[in-house]
Amino acid sequence: MICDQCGERSASVIVKQQQQGQITELHLCHICAAENHSINIAFEQDPLAIHQLLSNWFPNSQASVNPVRKEAVTCPSCGFSFPKFLQLGKFGCASCYDAFSSQLDEIFKRFHNGNTEHTGKIPASYGTTLKIKKEIEELRKQMQVSVSEEDFEEAARLRDEVKVLSSKLEGGASNGS
């Protein structure tokens, strides 16, 4: 496909814009896309390097993620600053992760819909089984606490719940094979 803007080079970028309820699609070559001011990506580098992504989320790389702080936090081991991380897209050393942990939490929350911890995905066929196993594990921990606090009635109730879940687990395993 040929570039819609210059009509000379092969289009390598597709830009979709919504204007007045209509979606327009532009097919641009890398040169015309780089000249387009609404796109902030340097096309001579790897496609979407981390520092490009961060620069789109935080356009002013001099500003800290937490604007309340006046002084720039630096890594005690290598002297790397957070704005330098935003500019380069990588840290200077392993200690940078600890030094900038509060700013990283904010970035991770933005990237992962408010989550800062990766919990992984479970295949649908194993989801029910794993959920029951985790529930059994949690009930057994609660049962141990109840026994240590000498709350034997609660421990017996939890034991019965574990038995019911275990039978579900065994019944599901025999039905599935």
Side-chain angles (χ1 to χ4, degrees):
M1 183 169 280
I2 302 297
C3 176
D4 290 338
Q5 190 168 333
C6 69
E8 298 174 4
R9 291 174 289 275
S10 176
S12 59
V13 177
I14 299 172
V15 179
K16 291 183 179 182
Q17 294 179 325
Q18 185 172 0
Q19 296 174 341
Q20 300 170 347
Q22 292 235 240
I23 296 176
T24 58
E25 196 171 286
L26 276 175
H27 300 270
L28 303 173
C29 66
H30 69 283
I31 295 172
C32 292
E35 291 171 357
N36 188 336
H37 296 293
S38 65
I39 304 171
N40 188 17
I41 297 176
F43 290 95
E44 61 275 356
Q45 297 177 355
D46 293 336
L48 203 59
I50 185 71
H51 68 281
Q52 292 170 337
L53 184 63
L54 291 173
S55 70
N56 286 330
W57 279 72
F58 306 104
N60 184 359
S61 64
Q62 298 302 318
S64 174
V65 172
N66 188 355
V68 175
R69 292 187 185 170
K70 297 291 182 186
E71 60 190 52
V73 178
T74 57
C75 175
S77 297
C78 66
F80 214 76
S81 68
F82 191 71
K84 192 169 182 180
F85 160 69
L86 291 177
Q87 180 183 16
L88 297 177
K90 55 185 174 181
F91 284 130
C93 70
S95 300
C96 289
Y97 290 96
D98 294 327
F100 305 121
S101 64
S102 61
Q103 289 102 340
L104 290 176
D105 283 345
E106 290 299 316
I107 290 174
F108 293 150
K109 282 180 185 176
R110 288 183 183 194
F111 287 147
H112 299 290
N113 298 325
N115 298 320
T116 57
E117 191 173 302
H118 178 70
T119 56
K121 292 186 178 181
I122 300 171
S125 60
Y126 296 112
T128 308
T129 304
L130 289 176
K131 183 179 176 186
I132 292 173
K133 284 183 179 181
K134 285 188 176 191
E135 203 172 332
I136 290 172
E137 229 177 273
E138 185 60 35
L139 287 172
R140 285 186 176 155
K141 287 178 187 176
Q142 291 175 8
M143 191 168 53
Q144 290 296 325
V145 170
S146 295
V147 169
S148 67
E149 293 175 353
E150 297 182 3
D151 186 0
F152 300 114
E153 291 172 1
E154 176 68 11
R157 186 187 67 75
L158 293 169
R159 180 202 59 214
D160 295 341
E161 281 187 52
V162 168
K163 283 183 181 179
V164 169
L165 289 174
S166 294
S167 66
K168 278 186 188 177
L169 195 60
E170 290 171 7
S174 62
N175 292 340
S177 53

